[in-house]
Amino acid sequence: MPNPQQNFSLWSSCRRKLIATMRCSCGISRHNKPINSPPVIKLPPEPSSEEKNVMMKETMKRLQSGENDAVLRGAKDVRELAKTDSEARMNFGLIGVIPLLVAMLDCEDVDSHIEALYALLNLGIGNDMNKSAIVEAGGVHKMLDLVTPPKECLPDVTAAVIANFLGLSAFDSNKVVIGSSGAVSFLIKTLRGLIKAETKTEDMDSQVVQDCLRALYNISILATNVLRMIEIDGFVQFLLSAIGGDAEISERILLILSNVVSTPEGRRAVSAVHDAFTILVDVLSWMDSPNCQEKVAYILMVMAYKSSEDQQAMIEAGIKSSLLELTLLGSTLAQKRSSRILEILRTDKGKQVSENTRGGAGTTLSAPLCGSGDNAESPDSSSGFSNRNAVKHLVEQSLLSNMRKIVKRANLRQEFVSLEHLKSSVTLHNSSSKSLPF
């Protein structure tokens, strides 16, 4: 016979579950508070194709009206509509808006200049046909007129012009016109005002700097433009002097120099700069950015491959120790390029030794394997001994080179740190270290 107490407990349990279920369904449970759903934001409906056509026709009428306020409103409409709508960009280009916007650059109103410039910039986004039409309408030269003395170069206008040069130079057919227009001189002048090799200003407009450097890179892809660039007084010297501070700026500059050294004239211009190889080798040793190391390794690899004189200048700048360190600690690409440079330097040195040998009077010169005379080691133990000595010599050279750079960067007087003192420090470090300082 069932126990009445058990029946009561079972009935109580069922009752509690039933009440909890009812409360949950009503959203009033003690443990489950009602959840307020976020408000639904209703976006305005996107205009249909027919409505867009009506808006573009109205915009065209405003630009053709000749009234300042209406023309300015029309340029703003083009700027907004072309910002995100690729179809609007194409249609605006087809109905002839670009020449009207370029004509606005001849007026004296600064607001009209800015609206027209950004409208042209947006029309060229992802549309090579519009980029070509802007150049054909004389846009590049009119833009330069806005930032060329005696006119005052306003920061907003300057930034808009540079942004347009960046966009237009991405199209290959425009590179010749932009490169021969004087745009390079303007970009370099602007960069010099923003980047200072000795003192970097914190209020520097990074976006304008990046646009300048990216535009110069696009222009320098064309070899004929490289010739125009290196003819500008101090162009290569300025680029080299700006390396070493900001990693992103240095990377952009190294990209430009990669295009510069692709031509014989560019390589000669780089070699002619005092301490050029010292600056480039310092990037390998002191900059932590893998991208910068990879790009400077490419520049040095090209120059080493093309010129034995440049190879000697690299060696004098202490490149070997930096390359040895990079082959162990650098990125995969940096290791490959560093190994290639070492191979080039080794091959060229071998050729010189071979030529000197053939120039002798029937004598054959060869490096001794184990030394000579009474101090020669036995063949059984010479291999490991000579290898250890070779590695030890390379390590000493690397440490000595790095210590020289540290002394140079610290601007210490030479009488306080003599060469013999550095060598003794290196020797002491090696004798007390049980592992290679790589």
Side-chain angles (χ1 to χ4, degrees):
M1 184 173 180
N3 189 349
Q5 186 175 0
Q6 291 179 350
N7 289 339
F8 178 78
S9 299
L10 180 62
W11 181 83
S12 299
S13 177
C14 292
R15 180 174 175 273
R16 285 195 300 270
K17 290 182 179 179
L18 180 61
I19 293 174
T21 303
M22 293 176 64
R23 286 178 175 175
C24 289
S25 62
C26 295
I28 57 174
S29 172
R30 291 179 299 173
H31 305 287
N32 299 307
K33 295 182 179 180
I35 300 174
N36 295 325
S37 59
V40 178
I41 301 175
K42 293 184 178 181
L43 297 175
E46 186 178 352
S48 62
S49 298
E50 194 172 315
E51 291 174 335
K52 288 181 181 179
N53 291 333
V54 173
M55 294 170 63
M56 282 191 285
K57 288 179 181 179
E58 292 176 354
T59 300
M60 190 69 174
K61 289 179 181 179
R62 293 190 184 100
L63 291 172
Q64 292 174 331
S65 66
E67 300 178 1
N68 292 337
D69 292 340
V71 172
L72 183 60
R73 171 66 185 280
K76 289 181 178 179
D77 291 342
V78 175
R79 177 180 178 179
E80 291 299 323
L81 290 171
K83 188 175 182 179
T84 56
D85 194 336
S86 59
E87 184 180 359
R89 295 179 206 130
M90 182 181 65
N91 291 334
F92 273 130
L94 292 175
I95 65 177
V97 165
I98 289 175
L100 298 175
L101 292 171
V102 172
M104 290 179 64
L105 302 179
D106 291 328
C107 69
E108 298 298 329
D109 181 42
V110 176
D111 291 335
S112 297
H113 294 163
I114 293 175
E115 293 299 333
L117 287 169
Y118 281 110
L120 291 169
L121 177 66
N122 290 346
L123 286 173
I125 297 174
N127 193 311
D128 291 341
M129 183 178 67
N130 285 350
K131 290 176 183 177
S132 179
I134 294 170
V135 173
E136 290 176 0
V140 172
H141 296 283
K142 290 183 183 293
M143 290 175 192
L144 278 174
D145 290 340
L146 295 178
V147 292
T148 302
K151 290 188 177 181
E152 184 181 358
C153 296
L154 299 176
D156 292 340
V157 176
T158 299
V161 169
I162 292 171
N164 270 277
F165 285 160
L166 171 59
L168 295 174
S169 62
F171 185 46
D172 288 342
S173 299
N174 292 340
K175 287 180 172 62
V176 177
V177 177
I178 297 174
S180 60
S181 66
V184 175
S185 299
F186 161 69
L187 293 171
I188 289 296
K189 181 181 177 181
T190 304
L191 273 176
R192 281 175 172 163
L194 296 173
I195 301 177
K196 296 180 181 179
E198 297 180 357
T199 56
K200 302 281 191 304
T201 57
E202 293 184 359
D203 58 344
M204 180 174 56
D205 192 333
S206 59
Q207 184 61 52
V208 177
V209 171
Q210 290 296 326
D211 288 349
C212 278
L213 292 171
R214 291 166 64 192
L216 286 171
Y217 170 75
N218 288 345
I219 297 170
S220 66
I221 291 174
L222 196 65
T224 54
N225 285 340
V226 172
L227 300 180
R228 297 187 180 99
M229 287 179 169
I230 61 178
E231 290 175 356
I232 298 174
D233 186 33
F235 172 73
V236 177
Q237 171 69 55
F238 167 72
L239 291 181
L240 288 168
S241 65
I243 296 174
D246 184 89
E248 193 173 1
I249 292 176
S250 298
E251 183 179 348
R252 296 289 181 190
I253 292 174
L254 291 170
L255 278 171
I256 298 170
L257 289 174
S258 298
N259 289 335
V260 170
V261 300
S262 65
T263 65
E265 296 82 3
R267 291 192 293 274
R268 286 195 290 270
V270 173
S271 301
V273 175
H274 178 65
D275 284 343
F277 292 108
T278 302
I279 294 171
L280 294 173
V281 170
D282 277 353
V283 175
L284 297 178
S285 303
W286 295 96
M287 291 200 70
D288 296 330
S289 170
N291 291 334
C292 290
Q293 291 177 341
E294 292 168 2
K295 289 170 178 58
V296 79
Y298 172 80
I299 294 170
L300 293 169
M301 181 177 64
V302 172
M303 298 192 72
Y305 180 75
K306 295 291 185 178
S307 172
S308 58
E309 294 180 358
D310 291 342
Q311 292 176 15
Q312 184 59 35
M314 293 177 195
I315 294 173
E316 292 174 358
I319 192 174
K320 286 188 175 180
S321 60
S322 299
L323 292 175
L324 287 169
E325 183 177 351
L326 203 60
T327 53
L328 295 173
L329 303 177
S331 64
T332 302
L333 184 57
Q335 289 178 357
K336 290 181 179 179
R337 289 174 175 173
S338 299
S339 299
R340 178 58 180 152
I341 298 172
L342 287 171
E343 182 182 349
I344 292 171
L345 297 177
R346 190 183 307 113
T347 302
D348 186 76
K349 185 176 181 180
K351 289 181 181 178
Q352 292 178 358
V353 172
S354 178
E355 291 173 358
N356 293 335
T357 302
R358 287 196 297 269
T363 59
T364 302
L365 300 177
S366 61
L369 294 175
C370 315
S372 58
D374 298 333
N375 294 328
E377 297 288 332
S378 64
D380 294 336
S381 61
S382 63
S383 177
F385 180 78
S386 60
N387 288 338
R388 286 195 299 272
N389 280 344
V391 172
K392 180 181 177 182
H393 177 70
L394 290 175
V395 171
E396 288 181 354
Q397 291 297 317
S398 177
L399 287 172
L400 183 60
S401 175
N402 288 336
M403 292 182 71
R404 282 173 174 165
K405 292 174 184 175
I406 292 171
V407 170
K408 183 178 179 181
R409 286 177 177 271
N411 294 322
L412 297 178
R413 294 172 59 185
Q414 292 299 322
E415 58 264 27
F416 288 120
V417 186
S418 63
L419 182 60
E420 288 72 15
H421 179 67
L422 291 179
K423 288 182 177 179
S424 63
S425 299
V426 170
T427 305
L428 179 62
H429 177 83
N430 277 340
S431 62
S432 62
S433 177
K434 296 189 185 259
S435 61
L436 296 179
F438 290 136

